[in-house]
Each structure stands twice: as C-alpha cells, then as structure tokens.
Amino acid sequence: MDSFSRIAVMGLGYIGLPTAAVFAENGVEVIGIDIVPHVVETINAGRPHFGEPNLDALVRRVVEAGKLRATLEIEPADAFIVAVPTPLHGHGECATPDISYIENAARALAPALRPGNLVILESTSPVGTTERMAAILAEMRPDLSFPQQKGELAQIQVAHCPERVLPGSILEEVVNNPRVIGGMSRKCAQRALSLYKIVARGECRVTNARTAELAKLTENAYRDVNIAFANELSLICDKLRINIWDMLAMANLHPRVQILSPGPGVGGHCIAVDPWFIVATNPNEAKLIRTARLINDSKPDFVIAKVRERAAALKRPVIACLGLAYKKDVDDLRESPAVEIVRKLALEAVGELLVVEPYIGRLPPELDELGLALHDFDEALERANLVLLLVDHMSFLQVDRDVLKDKFVIDTRGAW
Ligand code: SAJ
C-alpha cells in the first residue's frame, strides 16, 4: 500500500513546519504535532512561529485550506515524520548528543501505530539512532512486527531521511535538494521513497539507515572542516600581515580549490553541533573533525582580543556591534558567535556597546540582563568610534564609506 492520504509530522520547528506545510500544499492531509501549546496555537492561527522567507504565506494557505492542523496529541496516520531537536549536552569536547526528544517522540507515537505504517526519522542523529527509535517502537508495540525483527516482512517500515535544508532557503531546498533515503530494509526505503516523491523534485537516492545517518553528519562536518581551514588561515594571515580575503581570492582561482570564508566563528544549530555526533561515536578516529570544531569555537576569542586591542587605543571606546544572528539575513541567534562576542565584550566592559540587529525586536535575555540595548544602524554608525561587523546582513553592506572614514573598523566577514 503506497498511498499516503494522511501524515503526521512530529516537531513543528525549523524543519518540521516547512516539511508539514509542503506536504499539505501537495494535497496530503497533515497533522502537525508539537509539545509546546504556543507553537500549536500560532500555527492553527495560520502563522509560523519563526521567520523564514515565504513560510508565512504558505502556512496561512494550507491552514486556511484545512490541509494542515496542529495539535498536542498524537493521532493515527499513514506515515509519521519525526523532526525533533537533537541538541548537545555540555560544551566542546565534553559534549554528548541528546537523543531524548527522539526517544520521547517514539514513545508518544507508538500507541498510534497500525500495520502498514511508515515511521521516518528526519532529525540529524548520531549513527545508530534510527535503530534505537525502532527498538523503542518494538518494545512498546509487541503486537506489531518491525524491520529489525522481520526484515522485508515487517508490518511497520522505518527509515532515516535526513533533512538538508539551508535556513533562509528552506522552502526552495526542501523541494529541490537531492534526498538521501536510508531504509532499515529495502522495503522501508522504497516506501519512504514513495512518500518523498510526493514533494521532492530533486534526486532521491536510496541506501540503508546507518549510511544515511553518517552521510548527513559528514556533509556538515565537511563544511565545518573547510571553514576551520579558512579560520586557521585567517590567524596565519593576521600574524603575517596579509589580507586574508585577497589571499583566498587568489587561492580560489585554482580550478580545484574552493576554500570557504573565515568569520567570527561558526554558529547555528547544525554545523556547530553535528560534527560532535561523529566525535561521540568515534573519539579515537575523528581527530581532524574534533580539531576543526575546536578551531571554529576559538575564533570568537580571537575577535574579542582584536576589539580589546583596538579599544585600548581609544580614550572613550564606543563600539557599534553589527549583527547578532548566526549568519546573514536570518533572525536565528542559536549558537551564534556574534552573541558570544558581544556578551564577553560587555562582561569585560571594553567600552560602550551599541548593538544592532535588524532581524529581532528584543535582545536575548543573556544580553538584556547586561544592560545592553538594540540600536538603529545609522545612529550606531554615527556615534561609534569602533565598528565591529559580525554578520554580513544585506542591510549592512550598503554603508556610506565616508561614515566609516575616521573610525576603527573590524570586519570579521570581509564584507566591506
Ligand atoms: N560560515 C562561515 N564561513 C562560510 C560559510 C558559513 O563562517 O564560508 C558560518 C556561518 O556564518 C554560520 C555557520 O557557518 O555561522 C553555518 O552556516 P551555514 O550557512 O554554513 O549552514 P547552516 O548551519 O545554516 O545549514 C547547514 C547546511 N549544511 C551544509 O551546507 C552542508 C544545511 O544544508 C543543512 O541542512 C543544515 O546545516 C542542517 O540542518 O543540518
């Protein structure tokens, strides 16, 4: 039975909500399940609870059409897509992956399972998590058979189909990106493939669940290692008094060299987190992956030292801190190096800080409690004698060069 007239998406965050909305747009009846009442209420009112280009209109459309409905309670469906967070416990080398949200989602959906159902894990997860999810389902439903017990003959199919969308371009990428479909058996993969075919325009490549898990982690670790290489080069260039951006532009002229950009550090909930999932399962082998994480995590301290050095040369330092988001043109502050830099500068009382972040209306609590306030871009530039560009938001790029003329400028993104 390959038809999916009703699917349930568990976890209505950055991945779950766009995924639910895109399936709903394609005619499937979608139930969105979340544990946060505010999230459920907001979506049922036709609004997303976070910013993402074009998501507002889509959510309004599918909710008004009765195709997407959010709820706190699990309901029966043909397929269940689990898209819950997989955070890290602790920081740096002591960090361990927390898969408890997946375990809880499995326990919550198990009572609703019926023969013929498909369960998909989309959350980025350490290798072995799909099998762990299937084990919980089997434990809770001894009346049903699962692929780890019955292989191709199982009544319930289980697969890992990792999300790969880029925040800021989610709606475009959720449809057009190639998909990795990792089944716990061949039948699981085929059934998951027929589900994603409803929405996916990109290639869907079938493999097993463990390969799919590591492939997803590898993609983000690859990017992290490449950025760490750029960040290490930025420290080398600083010592050698070479402009890193000019140097990289020259090196990248080579047809087989494509170095990414250095910055103030790596943020977000994916690239700064996922490589640790590989280190967690393979601490002895993952030497390069660990080192890359440590290099990227140390970059904020380098930026802070630069600001300290510059501020020391000023009688009364007034520092415009431009951007708090983890990257350009998003409102997401999770794991943002810019937030860490501004917080530490405030704690050190390096100078008066004028924080500018056009994408948010209120400062996060860790900055608010330090007595900082949000400022207007033009006002901050006008008043500051030191300008620290932390995020290359489009709106920061069109700056009048004359305004910067007599100020110290620290451009962590090479945007100016
Ligand atoms: N960054 C740099 N230099 C660069 C590129 C990025 O310093 O040259 C920084 C950004 O400023 C940001 C961080 O890295 O702080 C991560 O940003 P990103 O745009 O590289 O990636 P994410 O975290 O927004 O999304 C990534 C994507 N993964 C890959 O590109 C391999 C996305 O496709 C994944 O779906 C997403 O992680 C995820 O959910 O795992």
Side-chain angles (χ1 to χ4, degrees):
M1 195 209 43
D2 260 359
S3 68
F4 299 95
S5 52
R6 189 184 217 225
I7 68 165
V9 177
M10 303 193 63
L12 296 173
Y14 285 82
I15 304 303
L17 180 57
T19 302
V22 164
F23 272 102
E25 176 89 328
N26 280 274
V28 181
E29 181 191 345
V30 182
I31 314 150
I33 298 150
D34 205 284
I35 54 171
V36 182
H38 162 75
V39 167
V40 168
E41 285 155 24
T42 311
I43 294 167
N44 282 336
R47 293 192 311 270
H49 56 101
F50 56 89
E52 175 64 29
N54 305 320
L55 188 61
D56 276 59
L58 175 60
V59 169
R60 191 177 343 104
R61 230 170 25 244
V62 291
V63 169
E64 274 173 10
K67 281 289 178 194
L68 171 64
R69 176 170 53 84
T71 165
L72 294 164
E73 303 292 332
I74 192 80
E75 292 181 24
D78 301 315
F80 296 84
I81 296 179
V82 176
V84 295
T86 40
L88 275 176
H89 267 320
H91 262 292
E93 293 210 74
C94 307
T96 51
D98 173 4
I99 60 160
S100 62
Y101 290 90
I102 295 173
E103 294 173 330
N104 290 340
R107 288 189 193 101
L109 77 83
L113 283 180
R114 295 176 307 195
N117 276 172
L118 167 69
V119 183
I120 288 178
L121 178 62
E122 274 217 17
S123 313
T124 305
S125 306
V127 173
T129 308
T130 310
E131 288 161 358
R132 168 85 188 123
M133 183 181 79
I136 293 173
L137 297 176
E139 201 181 292
M140 291 198 60
R141 292 298 302 269
D143 56 315
L144 294 171
S145 61
F146 292 82
Q148 67 272 31
Q149 305 157 331
K150 288 274 172 72
E152 306 293 336
L153 300 176
Q155 290 171 304
I156 305 293
Q157 314 304 325
V158 182
H160 180 53
C161 306
E163 62 82 12
R164 307 163 106 186
V165 292
L166 193 72
S169 314
I170 293 181
L171 288 185
E172 194 262 316
E173 292 206 358
V174 82
V175 169
N176 293 318
N177 278 4
R179 282 245 169 209
V180 176
I181 313 264
M184 279 187 65
S185 69
R186 271 216 309 278
K187 186 166 168 202
C188 294
Q190 287 309 323
R191 191 136 155 76
L193 179 65
S194 59
L195 176 68
Y196 283 101
K197 282 281 182 203
I198 299 173
V199 292
R201 281 195 223 124
E203 184 191 359
C204 296
R205 189 76 71 90
V206 165
T207 181
N208 61 53
R210 290 171 74 85
T211 305
E213 286 167 340
L214 189 59
K216 163 65 200 215
L217 299 178
T218 298
E219 291 159 19
N220 282 356
Y222 163 81
R223 200 155 164 86
D224 200 41
V225 169
N226 194 328
I227 298 168
F229 183 55
N231 276 331
E232 182 168 289
L233 286 167
S234 75
L235 308 189
I236 292 168
C237 282
D238 184 68
K239 279 260 164 74
L240 296 177
R241 295 173 187 279
I242 290 169
N243 182 307
I244 175 73
W245 311 102
D246 289 347
M247 189 280 285
L248 285 180
M250 299 304 137
N252 279 339
L253 282 176
H254 188 287
R256 285 177 296 284
V257 174
Q258 192 55 62
I259 306 165
L260 291 173
S261 303
V266 168
H269 47 296
C270 308
I271 301 215
V273 170
D274 301 349
W276 288 121
F277 293 2
I278 302 180
V279 178
T281 55
N282 293 74
N284 296 328
E285 293 80 19
K287 295 191 186 72
L288 177 64
I289 295 170
R290 177 196 288 108
T291 304
R293 263 306 48 250
L294 296 177
I295 290 171
N296 287 336
D297 271 356
S298 69
K299 194 69 197 286
D301 285 335
F302 171 82
V303 175
I304 290 165
K306 281 276 152 218
V307 176
R308 203 184 289 131
E309 191 185 303
R310 288 290 192 199
L314 293 163
K315 210 156 108 207
R316 203 181 149 272
V318 179
I319 308 167
C321 302
L322 304 183
L324 289 177
Y326 84 91
K327 66 174 185 178
K328 68 174 175 182
D329 301 327
V330 299
D331 65 354
D332 193 340
L333 307 189
R334 287 178 296 173
E335 316 285 333
S336 174
V339 173
E340 183 187 341
I341 290 166
V342 171
R343 193 178 68 84
K344 287 190 176 162
L345 289 175
L347 286 171
E348 278 190 31
V350 172
E352 185 186 352
L353 302 184
L354 309 176
V355 182
V356 181
E357 179 44 82
Y359 280 89
I360 58 171
R362 210 172 344 138
L363 280 178
E366 67 265 40
L367 298 185
D368 194 43
E369 70 193 20
L370 295 174
L372 296 170
L374 276 174
H375 290 261
D376 172 71
F377 179 48
D378 292 331
E379 177 232 345
L381 278 193
E382 185 70 38
R383 283 188 50 206
N385 45 24
L386 201 169
V387 180
L388 172 62
L389 182 81
L390 292 166
V391 187
D392 44 348
H393 287 319
M394 280 287 273
S395 56
F396 292 159
L397 303 188
Q398 295 121 18
V399 63
D400 179 359
R401 302 283 146 163
D402 280 352
V403 181
L404 297 177
K405 217 170 52 214
D406 303 321
K407 305 175 193 291
F408 278 137
V409 173
I410 300 176
D411 174 1
T412 67
R413 299 280 182 175
W416 289 337

